[in-house]
Amino acid sequence: MKYYDWHSPNRAERLNGILKAARKRAGLTQSTAAYKINCHDSYIQRVETGKDRPSIAFLVALIDQYGISDGDELHEIWWLARGHAPPGNVDPLAGMRVDSHYRDLVLQDTECMAYLTDGAYNVLAYNELWAETFEGDPPKNMLRWMMLDDTARGGPEVENPVLMNWESQWAPYFVTRLEQVISMSGGRNKELNQLLKEMKADPRAVHAYSSYAGTPIHSDGAFRPFNHFRQGAGYVRLFPVGVVGSTATIMRLKFTTSRPPHQIVLTSEGEVLEDIA
C-alpha cells in the first residue's frame, strides 16, 4: 500500500490519472459530477488535478459518485487527495489488515484463552488455550460460528453447545458488537455484508438480531456460561481488546468452573469490591 505526503513528487499527476479514469468508468463528465455533488465544475477540476485539498465529506461524495470501491485504490486516493488514510467508516479495509504484533500478543498469552479477529470476524490467530476449548479445530470465523453453528448455539442434535444459554446470554452481545462493526465499516466491507446476509437468512439468528439490535450490552469483564471441551460446564469472563482505529479485536476469555460473587474494580481512589450482577 502506498502513502503520499501532500508535497510528494507526481502526487497531483497520479491523483488526476486515478480520478479521471474512475469518473470516465462511471460515465460522468466533470459537469455532471459537479451537478450530482452540488458544486461548481471548476472545483471538481481543482480536486482532480490536486490543486485543492477537499474536505472529508466532499471526498466521500466524490468517491461514491465515481463508484470507487477497491480498497487499495481508495487508500491511494485519500493519501493523494488529503495526505492521510481514509477514516474507518469509509475504509473497506479497516480492520482487515492487522499488524503482526497483535498476533504475537495472542500467541504469548498464557493466562487466558485468546484469539484475534479481523473486521469481518475471520480468526487471524489464537493461542493454545483457545484451541483446547474445542474437540476439533477452532472456528475460522467467529460470527458465522457463534450465530449460525449449532455446536456453538445448540440445536436438536447438539445437547451440550459451547455457548450455553445462547439466546439470552450470547446472542445479545454479538448482535450489539456486530452493529458497532457495521457502523465503523460504513457498509463498505463486502465480506461483512455477506456474513450479515447469511445471518438474516437464518431464522434463529435473525430473530436474535431483530430482538437485540440497538440494545446496549456491557461486555468488558462480563461473565457468560461456557461449555469447555476438557473442563466441562463453567463460565468465561470476556476481556475484548480493540485495535485502535480498526474493527479488528483481540478477545481474551478467562475460564472458571464457578461464577465468583464479587469482583475488584480499580478506580483513581484505589480498589473497590463490587458484587457481580
Side-chain angles (χ1 to χ4, degrees):
M1 193 171 296
K2 297 180 180 180
Y3 304 91
Y4 295 84
D5 181 79
W6 181 258
H7 300 291
S8 297
N10 303 319
R11 177 196 65 82
E13 180 182 352
R14 175 64 178 163
L15 177 63
N16 186 39
I18 294 175
L19 290 181
K20 184 177 180 180
R23 175 168 51 76
K24 288 188 174 182
R25 287 198 305 268
L28 298 171
T29 64
Q30 287 184 343
S31 295
T32 54
Y35 177 79
K36 289 176 177 293
I37 301 174
N38 194 27
C39 70
H40 198 275
D41 301 14
S42 61
Y43 188 65
I44 291 281
Q45 183 182 34
R46 291 185 65 82
V47 170
E48 284 192 3
T49 55
K51 294 178 180 178
D52 273 7
R53 188 183 310 212
S55 67
I56 290 177
F58 182 87
L59 189 55
V60 168
L62 187 74
I63 288 170
D64 283 344
Q65 286 298 326
Y66 289 7
I68 302 169
S69 59
D70 179 76
D72 290 325
E73 189 174 38
L74 280 172
H75 267 259
E76 191 168 0
I77 289 171
W78 278 86
W79 279 100
L80 290 166
R82 287 191 50 85
H84 62 76
N89 63 344
V90 296
D91 181 5
L93 297 181
M96 300 304 290
R97 298 180 178 184
V98 184
D99 191 285
S100 63
H101 285 88
Y102 291 102
R103 173 197 60 200
D104 298 340
L105 288 174
V106 167
L107 297 179
Q108 294 165 10
D109 196 332
T110 59
E111 295 184 2
C112 294
M113 301 181 290
Y115 61 82
L116 168 67
T117 59
D118 65 15
Y121 293 92
N122 296 304
V123 178
L124 305 180
Y126 56 85
N127 64 1
E128 191 62 30
L129 292 176
W130 178 244
E132 292 175 354
T133 304
F134 302 91
E135 183 175 3
D137 295 330
K140 294 182 179 180
N141 184 282
M142 291 306 297
L143 178 63
R144 185 174 281 116
W145 178 72
M146 285 194 169
M147 296 301 292
L148 301 173
D149 194 322
D150 284 352
T151 63
R153 64 187 186 178
E157 299 180 2
V158 181
E159 295 183 2
N160 298 305
V162 177
L163 308 180
M164 301 164 62
N165 300 337
W166 178 82
E167 284 84 357
S168 62
Q169 297 295 309
W170 287 96
Y173 162 67
F174 244 73
V175 166
T176 301
R177 174 60 184 160
L178 176 61
E179 282 191 304
Q180 295 170 349
V181 173
I182 290 174
S183 176
M184 285 189 68
S185 73
R188 288 174 166 83
N189 187 315
K190 294 181 180 179
E191 191 170 352
L192 187 62
N193 292 341
Q194 175 59 33
L195 285 167
L196 182 59
K197 183 179 179 180
E198 292 177 26
M199 201 178 83
K200 288 186 174 181
D202 180 274
R204 292 181 66 190
V206 76
H207 175 73
Y209 188 80
S210 60
S211 297
Y212 297 113
T215 304
I217 302 294
H218 173 67
S219 60
D220 193 12
F223 283 90
R224 297 286 187 273
F226 191 89
N227 190 25
H228 195 290
F229 172 64
R230 297 183 184 277
Q231 301 186 53
Y235 297 86
V236 288
R237 197 171 187 187
L238 308 179
F239 298 98
V241 181
V243 177
V244 177
S246 169
T247 49
T249 302
I250 291 176
M251 179 62 78
R252 303 180 74 230
L253 305 95
K254 186 75 172 180
F255 182 81
T256 177
T257 55
S258 59
R259 190 171 181 271
H262 308 287
Q263 64 183 350
I264 296 176
V265 179
L266 303 180
T267 72
S268 60
E269 299 176 353
E271 295 183 350
V272 178
L273 189 67
E274 287 189 352
D275 292 336
I276 295 176

